[in-house]
Amino acid sequence: MTPVFRFAPSPNGRLHLGHAYSALLNERLAQAWGGRFLLRIEDIDIARCRPAFEAAIIEDLSWLGLSWEVPVRRQSEHFDDYRRTAFLLKRKGLLYPCFCSRKDVADAVARREAATGRPWPRDPDGAPLYPGTCRSLPSSEAESRIASGEPHSWRLDQPAALKEAPGPYFYDSFRPEGRAHRVVAHPELWGDTILVRKDTPTSYHLSVVMDDAIQGVTHVVRGRDLEAATDLHVLLQRLLDLPTPRYHHHGLVLDPLGDKLSKSRGSEALHELRERGIDAATIRRHLGFSADSEHLEPNDAGNQGQHR
Ligand code: GLU
């Protein structure tokens, strides 16, 4: 089977060195293993994603010397795929409608914390687990609120999902010689997470799982910041009868203070490095991708190549 790799950025800002590392690693592995390299634009967040950022992503990746198959899959063009998938999960009774706002959730959590004197559990991203307010709404009430047009999301009924697909696991980290270890997934850490948002007929988790399957991705190579999300992704793959790719969660490129690079923290973007006169070969070398290198992790050259 031909290995299929992908780089899947969201066009909500400019790319930085961390993105460059991930894209280069995927391309390098695809080349080394005689595989395919795909680019996917993850633009389901219509409020934050911009065509100008997508154009900039293409420009930055081309400047780095990357090439990929066309046409590029753009998630905003495939909402019907995600709607269909969500429908399958609803039909199995694994999703329930939720009318809570973020504030409703925060208030409910604060009340529970005050009542118990203990902190309410958080998900791997640090958000409070959903306290279950809408989980047992009578279906007649939920249906009439939906019929009256009340905004709602759809949440995964986590206990029901785990009953349907117990013991999800995946294989993480791989090298050409095939070493990988089996990781038992803990999707319950995410609680009843949102799979269909109020503002769009999908979510990151649902669309990434669908697209990896639709595009035949065999190897998901992405940063350690997404490692916890994989636990949920493998559960969804099981529920939807989709294959589970191999995973590799690579170290993150850090800034000189040891923090993760991020658009919101104002980390220097690739185009700013370019405008400072740094060429693509220097960036590739800095990240460990000179012509003869064989890196699977960010190297520790210079200040910015540290990893954790
Ligand atoms: N679109 C996600 C991001 O930009 C990456 C998704 C993935 O690699 O699974 O963070």
Side-chain angles (χ1 to χ4, degrees):
M1 191 167 58
T2 308
V4 181
F5 293 81
R6 72 357 177 233
F7 176 59
S10 301
N12 55 13
R14 299 296 302 248
L15 299 184
H16 52 59
L17 280 176
H19 297 111
Y21 177 79
S22 208
L24 286 164
L25 179 58
N26 273 284
E27 194 216 32
R28 174 61 64 97
L29 289 169
Q31 265 171 10
W33 298 5
R36 297 165 55 204
F37 173 60
L38 312 178
L39 173 67
R40 181 165 75 228
I41 299 294
E42 301 212 323
D43 60 346
I44 58 161
D45 192 336
I46 337 182
R48 290 174 63 222
C49 294
R50 303 254 179 283
F53 286 134
E54 181 184 323
I57 286 173
I58 306 279
E59 186 188 348
D60 289 344
L61 295 177
S62 307
W63 172 73
L64 275 174
L66 288 155
S67 55
W68 51 86
E69 291 182 13
V70 284
V72 166
R73 185 172 170 94
R74 190 178 293 115
Q75 290 187 326
S76 60
E77 292 169 356
H78 299 279
F79 284 141
D80 281 344
D81 287 339
Y82 314 131
R83 269 192 202 99
R84 262 195 304 275
T85 312
F87 178 73
L88 289 178
L89 294 173
K90 284 177 200 169
R91 211 175 47 191
K92 286 185 171 192
L94 297 174
L95 301 188
Y96 64 87
C98 171
F99 303 90
C100 295
S101 63
R102 241 173 240 213
K103 180 166 180 327
D104 294 333
V105 173
D107 290 349
V109 165
R111 279 195 302 274
R112 294 201 185 198
E113 289 186 332
T116 61
R118 281 203 307 274
W120 184 254
R122 300 294 199 260
D123 73 17
D125 283 345
L129 290 192
Y130 183 60
T133 319
C134 292
R135 149 180 275 281
S136 44
L137 281 185
S139 53
S140 55
E141 181 187 334
E143 278 159 26
S144 75
R145 288 171 76 173
I146 292 173
S148 73
E150 192 173 334
H152 58 284
S153 55
W154 289 84
R155 291 185 179 270
L156 181 67
D157 183 336
Q158 184 73 244
L162 275 171
K163 214 157 154 198
E164 167 110 5
Y169 65 89
F170 60 96
Y171 284 94
D172 196 353
S173 264
F174 49 82
R175 302 231 168 211
E177 63 271 27
R179 264 187 287 129
H181 61 279
R182 191 174 187 273
V183 180
V184 174
H186 290 286
E188 68 280 6
L189 296 177
W190 291 95
D192 286 1
T193 197
I194 291 180
L195 288 191
V196 178
R197 291 165 31 166
K198 279 183 182 162
D199 57 347
T200 184
T202 184
S203 59
Y204 160 63
H205 299 301
L206 189 64
S207 34
V208 84
V209 162
M210 275 317 293
D211 284 353
D212 284 338
I214 288 171
Q215 296 191 287
V217 171
T218 57
H219 293 76
V220 172
V221 177
R222 58 186 177 192
R224 253 174 230 161
D225 51 341
L226 289 171
E227 191 163 4
T230 301
D231 287 19
L232 189 57
H233 298 175
V234 296
L235 173 64
L236 294 177
Q237 286 150 6
R238 286 235 187 156
L239 295 172
L240 294 164
D241 224 356
L242 302 173
T244 290
R246 284 279 179 109
Y247 286 88
H248 174 63
H249 299 102
H250 60 73
L252 302 177
V253 181
L254 303 179
D255 71 14
L257 296 175
D259 289 322
K260 181 185 150 188
L261 299 179
S262 88
K263 295 169 193 165
S264 54
R265 230 182 271 120
S267 303
E268 203 168 25
L270 281 179
H271 77 102
E272 290 167 319
L273 297 170
R274 180 163 72 235
E275 281 148 22
R276 276 211 277 131
I278 299 175
D279 64 15
T282 305
I283 303 278
R284 291 177 80 106
R285 212 167 34 247
H286 174 71
L287 293 172
F289 296 98
S290 35
D292 55 352
S293 61
E294 212 191 285
H295 276 291
L296 274 181
E297 289 297 321
N299 72 1
D300 57 1
N303 281 333
Q304 287 187 307
Q306 300 158 35
H307 62 99
R308 60 181 183 198

